[in-house]
Amino acid sequence: MKDINSTGSPLLKILLREINRITERKTIYLLSVVLPVILFLLVALIYKNGVVRDLPVAVYDADNSTLSRMLSRSVDASSSMAVIEHVNSLDELKTEFLKGHIQGAFYFPENMERDIKRGTGSSMVIFKNTSSLIVGNMIYKDGMTIARTVSGGALLKKLRSKGLSETQAMNVINPIRIETQSLYNPEYNYLQYLIPGLLTAMFQMIIMISAVLIISSEFTHNTFGELVRISGSNIFTIILGKALPHLVLHTVTALGIIGIIFPMFSIEISGSVTLSLAFIEYFILTSFFLGFLLSCSFHEQLFATEVALFINTPAFIFSGFTFPLWGMPALHNYFAQLIPFTHFLSGFLKIYQMGTPIKYVAPEFFRLSIFLVISLAASFIVLRFRVNSVLSNEEPVVEEVK
């Protein structure tokens, strides 16, 4: 590459110098270019099936009747469960759970069909592994649906035998009809639910950690004085020249998320694609300049990175994505407000998943703006201090007298 000190404005020199640093330093190159591609694809592949299927379950059929066999076949025919074992006692069921062979089980008690025909009622027991909420809820939901369907069918047959029409019989079975409308993710697809939140959480971490290295690495390698000299001690030139190449890289990554990862895994964007991209770009600016502030503030590159990790590591948990913010203790809720990702995710889900008009994202946009303005202003002040410190330590140039 052309000697950066030979020609061009200070801004161009800083830009070329930073591009050189990105290509020559493996840490920044790996963080900004290689890691996002590998990480995002790996995470998306985990959830590529979208929904949980064929959870292994066992059946203990103590009734061995037509009805219990129908229930057993219905469980096996469901998309979420697969009957892998038929056992002969509750102790065997317990053993299979302890071995980890099954995630759920169905127990049909003796005389179940006879009691139902006599009108005395009976019960069916569903065992589910609730150490995993996803597994437990899935087995319970589908198990209840099967039980109600089969039970309703048996009752319908009995009422029809007494001379009621099908409509009259259905009115007796279901006196209150319930219509449920699942909004925004009606198929309960985990790919649609988790991937946008997970990828953007990791994206914030990558942006901030790579930003942390930008100025702190100048201190570590004793090149900050050179940077000040090339920039002509101009703070705007330093910030713009150092930031632009990284912001371009992160923008390309954002385009890859929306333009490649989302279509590749059939993640649907219900709202405006343009607005989604614009909001991600604003999030990139916010996260980048928060990391940039840390980079200016700490001389030690390692310590600056640790501070960035401290902010980013719990970001996903504190975002309210897996547990609502209003349900958290006040202290945790306050800490969540100090992380840009919390406000970004709230706005991003509104835009991409709910198709919300931009006016309803104004609160999130305003909060991200606070982070951006404070980070930029503080970065300018700290850099001004650093540059003045360098200039004051420089030895005056003494011309040689001939």
Side-chain angles (χ1 to χ4, degrees):
M1 184 172 284
K2 194 174 182 179
D3 183 2
I4 59 173
N5 293 315
S6 60
T7 58
S9 64
L11 176 60
L12 181 61
K13 291 175 182 174
I14 299 290
L15 279 170
L16 293 174
R17 181 176 179 274
E18 193 60 23
I19 292 169
N20 267 339
R21 289 169 65 86
I22 292 172
T23 53
E24 290 173 357
R25 293 170 192 263
K26 288 182 180 177
T27 306
I28 297 177
Y29 182 77
L30 288 172
L31 261 177
S32 303
V33 181
V34 179
L35 186 63
V37 175
I38 297 173
L39 198 58
F40 293 170
L41 280 175
L42 281 179
V43 171
L45 281 171
I46 294 173
Y47 300 98
K48 70 180 178 63
N49 291 330
V51 293
V52 177
R53 297 186 185 281
D54 295 331
L55 289 167
V57 298
V59 169
Y60 173 25
D61 185 0
D63 192 39
N64 195 24
S65 63
T66 303
L67 178 62
S68 64
R69 286 191 291 273
M70 182 191 297
L71 282 165
S72 180
R73 287 194 298 272
S74 299
V75 171
D76 196 36
S78 68
S79 62
S80 62
M81 295 178 282
V83 177
I84 63 165
E85 290 200 49
H86 287 81
V87 298
N88 297 308
S89 69
L90 291 176
D91 286 338
E92 276 190 63
L93 275 184
K94 183 179 178 182
T95 303
E96 292 305 311
F97 267 113
L98 292 175
K99 287 179 179 176
H101 290 173
I102 59 173
Q103 296 296 318
F106 291 80
Y107 167 49
F108 308 129
E110 191 175 358
N111 300 323
M112 182 177 72
E113 184 179 40
R114 187 199 66 184
D115 292 342
I116 290 174
K117 286 181 176 177
R118 286 180 177 178
T120 56
S122 186
S123 61
M124 174 185 89
V125 181
I126 302 175
F127 299 93
K128 50 196 174 69
N129 180 3
T130 49
S131 63
S132 166
L133 292 180
I134 294 174
V135 169
N137 288 336
M138 187 67 74
I139 291 175
Y140 175 76
K141 181 172 74 70
D142 287 0
M144 289 299 293
T145 301
I146 290 168
R148 283 171 183 155
T149 303
V150 174
S151 176
L155 186 55
L156 177 65
K157 187 176 178 181
K158 183 177 181 180
L159 293 172
R160 290 292 302 276
S161 68
K162 291 183 177 180
L164 270 68
S165 68
E166 184 165 336
T167 304
Q168 289 172 322
M170 287 303 296
N171 287 336
V172 173
I173 296 169
N174 294 316
I176 300 176
R177 294 184 179 82
I178 299 173
E179 290 185 13
T180 303
Q181 295 189 9
S182 301
L183 305 176
Y184 313 125
N185 186 11
E187 296 176 352
Y188 297 90
N189 188 316
Y190 277 87
L191 196 67
Q192 193 81 19
Y193 164 61
L194 276 176
I195 290 303
L198 275 175
L199 293 195
T200 48
M202 290 187 289
F203 193 29
Q204 176 186 258
M205 183 175 286
I206 289 169
I207 293 169
M208 284 190 65
I209 291 178
S210 60
V212 155
L213 302 177
I214 292 174
I215 298 295
S216 62
S217 67
E218 301 276 4
F219 299 138
T220 302
H221 296 95
N222 293 319
T223 54
F224 188 69
E226 176 192 276
L227 176 69
V228 172
R229 180 178 56 77
I230 296 173
S231 69
S233 309
N234 188 305
I235 307 300
F236 287 111
T237 302
I238 294 175
I239 293 177
L240 198 59
K242 296 285 283 182
L244 269 180
H246 295 274
L247 292 175
V248 170
L249 273 179
H250 296 319
T251 301
V252 171
T253 303
L255 289 171
I257 292 174
I258 297 294
I260 298 175
I261 299 285
F262 275 37
M264 184 184 292
F265 293 94
S266 302
I267 300 173
E268 182 185 351
I269 298 179
S270 301
S272 163
V273 174
T274 306
L275 188 56
S276 299
L277 276 171
F279 199 65
I280 291 178
E281 188 62 37
Y282 203 66
F283 172 61
I284 290 172
L285 286 172
T286 306
S287 303
F288 178 83
F289 281 109
L290 185 55
F292 192 85
L293 172 60
L294 296 176
S295 187
C296 300
S297 303
F298 301 106
H299 257 279
E300 289 186 24
Q301 187 174 307
L302 179 61
F303 184 71
T305 306
E306 287 174 348
V307 174
L309 284 173
F310 175 77
I311 296 172
N312 280 278
T313 302
F316 187 71
I317 298 171
F318 280 85
S319 67
F321 195 56
T322 55
F323 192 79
L325 284 173
W326 50 261
M328 293 181 186
L331 184 62
H332 295 70
N333 201 329
Y334 291 141
F335 182 73
Q337 305 305 318
L338 298 176
I339 304 174
F341 182 70
T342 303
H343 310 288
F344 162 75
L345 189 63
S346 171
F348 185 58
L349 291 178
K350 287 181 182 176
I351 295 169
Y352 115 87
Q353 200 169 59
M354 300 168 68
T356 305
I358 191 169
K359 63 181 179 181
Y360 295 123
V361 192
E364 287 83 0
F365 183 81
F366 175 72
R367 290 168 195 142
L368 287 178
S369 299
I370 293 175
F371 281 97
L372 181 58
V373 170
I374 291 176
S375 298
L376 272 171
S379 296
F380 184 89
I381 293 169
V382 175
L383 266 180
R384 181 79 271 168
F385 172 79
R386 300 288 188 199
V387 169
N388 288 343
S389 178
V390 168
L391 294 176
S392 64
N393 289 330
E394 282 185 350
E395 293 183 2
V397 177
V398 180
E399 293 185 2
E400 186 178 351
V401 180
K402 295 181 180 179

